């Protein structure tokens, strides 16, 4: 099946080869005005300016889509979500409005433990349907690739249930999906005073089954005061790495406790959150970006929702740290998977330039899921995962007109969803 898209007002994110972007390069977003894209069997076969069409595509296919007045972008690559969950938590949202802190709610069995209790009593089929709906919603908003974590199970059965749901999502969805095992999201009540007991459960009971059933690509730990220490994170990650699971880690959300130093030693693919960064943390991330391609994934909607300081995006960019943007879609700290809002918020509150934000939410996000060979840019050989915008005056209008739905249509693997 061959499809030709013609008269695109601006084709955004055209790249001949892959490169993880950091520093000044993050602001470079190659675009072609008045462009075409040729798609063969769901894959980008060629692209260029309309004046090259007759030479590049001498024989026009039957299926031609006129994209006059539209911008076409690579789909968002959302590299950090928790979108498998049983129930929303707006009652905690109200508690927070009345003055309770995230930590106070968590300490009273709310937060992650609340989600775990709800998930425990929900069947795998029901969870699958809830998550499927969320996948459909985010794909309509332009997301074409997504990482999904477990971590609301916290028992052997429930963690496996979550990961099996993610596996089914992978099998049934046309989106590219990566699965992350986050058994170490918090200590369940029964193990509050027995950390080693829970770590043993993760290592001796959960990981062997996860490996046997190939249920995860990555391993994650919530490394934070009151949750998992850097030493505990290292123990858990090293066990996961023996099964081939690479670390992608929650660090530096509420405190800086040397999680980044441990992540560097563990050769983590990414360190995520980063609301609280010291100079040492930034130096370590810069060095690891250069030496091992480690990515700092910023989750500004979590900072927005929890009314925390935003991630220091400008400082990270000036210090040559590789950064990606993701939604953190979860019921507690970011009940939205809308990457358009993530991009807008990054510009509005973190002073990222539109080009920087779009790169961080596409090609760098793809790198943060090791999907850069198949998505994240308009590149020959990559999947035709494309966002078609409504008519707009410029690319900067996309983050500027935050809250407007500027996504007209979304194409995944060459087909409109
Ligand atoms: O990434 N920080 C840890 N985990 C989630 C929130 C968990 C929850 O409150 O359900 C996050 O923000
Ligand atoms: Fe998260």
């Amino acid at each position: 099946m061959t499809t030709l898209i013609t008269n695109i007002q601006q084709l955004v994110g055209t790249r001949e080869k892959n490169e993880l972007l950091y520093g000044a390069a993050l602001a470079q977003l190659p675009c072609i005005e008045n462009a075409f894209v040729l798609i063969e069997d769901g894959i980008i076969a060629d692209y260029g300016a309309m004046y090259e069409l007759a030479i590049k595509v001498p024989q026009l296919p039957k299926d031609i889509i006129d994209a006059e007045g539209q911008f076409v972008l690579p789909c968002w690559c959302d590299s950090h979500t928790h979108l498998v969950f049983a129930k929303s938590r707006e009652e905690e949202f109200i508690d927070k409005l009345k003055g309770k802190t995230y930590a106070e709610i968590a300490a009273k069995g709310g937060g992650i433990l609340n989600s775990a209790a709800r998930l425990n009593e929900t069947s795998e089929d029901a969870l699958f349907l809830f998550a499927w709906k969320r996948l459909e919603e985010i794909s309509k908003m332009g997301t074409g690739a997504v990482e999904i974590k477990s971590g609301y199970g916290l028992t052997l059965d429930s963690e496996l249930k979550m990961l099996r749901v993610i596996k089914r999502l992978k099998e049934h969805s046309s989106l590219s999906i990566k699965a992350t095992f986050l058994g170490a999201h918090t200590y369940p009540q029964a193990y509050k005073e027995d950390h080693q007991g829970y770590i043993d459960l993760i290592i001796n009971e959960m990981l062997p089954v996860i490996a046997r059933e190939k249920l995860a690509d990555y391993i994650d730990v919530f490394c934070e005061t009151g949750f998992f220490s850097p030493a505990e994170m290292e123990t858990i990650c090293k066990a996961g790495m023996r099964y081939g699971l690479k670390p992608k880690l929650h660090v530096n959300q509420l405190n800086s406790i040397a999680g980044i130093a441990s992540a560097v030693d563990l050769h983590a693919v990414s360190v995520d959150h980063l609301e609280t960064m010291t100079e040492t943390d930034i130096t370590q991330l810069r060095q690891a970006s250069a030496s091992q391609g480690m990515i700092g994934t910023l989750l500004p909607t979590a900072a927005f929702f929890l009314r925390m300081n935003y991630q220091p995006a400008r400082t990270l960019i000036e210090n040559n740290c590789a950064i990606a943007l993701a939604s953190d879609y979860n019921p507690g700290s970011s009940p939205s998977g809308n990457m358009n809002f993530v991009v807008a918020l990054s510009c509005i509150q973190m002073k990222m330039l539109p080009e920087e934000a779009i790169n961080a939410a596409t090609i760098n996000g793809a790198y943060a899921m090791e999907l850069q060979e198949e998505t994240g840019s308009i590149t020959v050989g990559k999947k035709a995962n494309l966002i078609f915008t409504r008519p707009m005056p410029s690319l900067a209008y996309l983050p500027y007109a935050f809250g407007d739905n500027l996504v007209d249509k979304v194409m995944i693997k060459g087909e409109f969803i």
Side-chain angles (χ1 to χ4, degrees):
M1 167 85 178
T2 303
T3 304
L4 178 68
I5 307 164
T6 57
N7 300 319
I8 302 165
Q9 177 165 336
Q10 200 175 98
L11 181 62
V12 178
T14 52
R15 298 185 182 277
E16 269 172 40
K17 61 179 177 55
N18 276 327
E19 204 184 326
L20 176 63
L21 303 173
Y22 48 91
L26 190 64
Q28 275 151 34
L29 180 62
C31 297
I32 300 175
E33 310 272 332
N34 196 16
F36 74 89
V37 178
L38 184 72
I39 298 163
E40 272 166 18
D41 299 325
I43 301 291
I44 298 171
D46 209 345
Y47 63 86
M50 281 303 286
Y51 67 77
E52 303 171 298
L53 183 63
I55 299 167
K56 287 191 158 186
V57 189
Q59 202 136 39
L60 296 184
K62 278 203 197 81
D63 187 26
I64 298 180
I65 298 163
D66 187 354
E68 174 136 27
Q70 300 190 289
F71 288 65
V72 171
L73 290 83
C75 279
W76 306 126
C77 298
D78 188 353
S79 61
H80 181 136
T81 81
H82 311 245
L83 68 70
V84 176
F85 56 88
K87 208 178 158 293
S88 56
R89 301 211 311 254
E90 62 274 19
E91 65 295 336
E92 291 179 5
F93 169 64
I94 301 292
D95 285 344
K96 274 183 237 148
L97 294 179
K98 291 181 176 165
K100 286 219 177 73
T101 65
Y102 184 70
E104 281 167 352
I105 289 168
K108 289 207 173 112
I112 298 165
L113 292 178
N114 181 1
S115 282
R118 300 290 81 76
L119 190 130
N120 222 285
E121 62 205 22
T122 306
S123 72
E124 188 183 308
D125 286 346
L127 268 181
F128 174 78
L129 285 177
F130 297 154
W132 181 260
K133 264 209 168 115
R134 293 182 196 117
L135 261 192
E136 280 188 330
E137 278 161 16
I138 63 168
S139 61
K140 281 185 205 142
M141 293 188 285
T143 296
V146 62
E147 180 258 19
I148 311 173
K149 299 171 195 295
S150 71
Y152 290 129
L154 309 180
T155 64
L156 173 65
D157 285 350
S158 288
E159 281 297 310
L160 293 176
K161 181 163 70 178
M162 284 191 85
L163 289 167
R164 287 179 186 135
V165 166
I166 302 171
K167 191 174 184 182
R168 279 169 70 185
L169 295 172
K170 278 190 192 191
E171 287 161 0
H172 289 88
S173 173
S174 55
L175 275 72
S176 308
I177 297 175
K178 288 283 178 116
T180 299
F181 170 52
L182 175 57
H185 201 181
T186 192
Y187 285 102
Q189 211 73 57
Y191 291 93
K192 272 277 174 262
E193 307 305 326
D194 179 19
H195 286 191
Q196 194 52 50
Y198 188 58
I199 293 171
D200 288 344
L201 182 73
I202 288 175
I203 294 175
N204 301 326
E205 314 266 336
M206 297 185 190
L207 276 171
V209 187
I210 291 166
R212 197 167 57 238
E213 293 186 26
K214 295 194 176 32
L215 293 175
D217 304 293
Y218 300 107
I219 185 157
D220 190 353
V221 175
F222 187 26
C223 180
E224 195 59 63
T225 310
F227 293 83
F228 292 80
S229 69
E232 291 169 340
M233 174 170 80
E234 283 186 37
T235 304
I236 294 163
C237 285
K238 281 181 183 156
M241 287 158 77
R242 284 196 282 278
Y243 293 107
L245 307 183
K246 293 188 196 173
K248 271 172 76 65
L249 303 166
H250 279 75
V251 297
N252 291 58
Q253 181 184 13
L254 310 168
N255 298 282
S256 168
I257 55 169
I260 294 190
S262 295
V264 174
D265 291 341
L266 291 164
H267 282 251
V269 173
S270 68
V271 283
D272 302 19
H273 266 294
L274 313 187
E275 283 88 329
T276 313
M277 293 289 277
T278 65
E279 260 177 54
T280 310
D281 293 323
I282 292 169
T283 305
Q284 286 166 345
L285 178 53
R286 175 184 62 226
Q287 288 165 349
S289 287
S291 64
Q292 43 184 275
M294 196 165 90
I295 297 163
T297 301
L298 315 185
L299 311 170
T301 48
F304 168 75
F305 191 76
L306 300 179
R307 289 183 207 85
M308 292 181 58
N309 287 331
Y310 287 91
Q311 294 82 4
R314 285 259 58 92
T315 311
L316 296 172
I317 293 167
E318 278 152 27
N319 279 278
N320 287 320
C321 298
I323 58 170
L325 289 169
S327 74
D328 199 17
Y329 192 2
N330 78 76
S333 63
S334 182
S336 160
N338 185 346
M339 285 294 286
N340 303 284
F341 184 59
V342 171
V343 167
L345 196 60
S346 304
C347 299
I348 296 163
Q349 291 291 347
M350 305 201 294
K351 298 189 175 165
M352 290 177 73
L353 297 170
E355 293 81 2
E356 291 174 330
I358 290 168
N359 277 327
T362 54
I363 185 66
N364 279 12
Y367 269 95
M369 295 182 272
E370 299 178 294
L371 287 173
Q372 68 273 13
E373 297 303 327
E374 60 177 76
T375 191
S377 62
I378 308 297
T379 301
V380 171
K382 287 197 185 184
K383 288 182 180 168
N385 290 359
L386 307 172
I387 296 171
F388 290 63
T389 72
R390 302 226 160 104
M392 41 181 210
S394 69
L395 190 59
Y397 190 81
L398 192 63
Y400 159 84
F402 79 93
D404 271 11
N405 179 13
L406 292 163
V407 177
D408 179 40
K409 284 181 295 206
V410 177
M411 178 180 266
I412 304 283
K413 290 202 267 177
E415 295 198 13
F416 286 117
I417 53 162

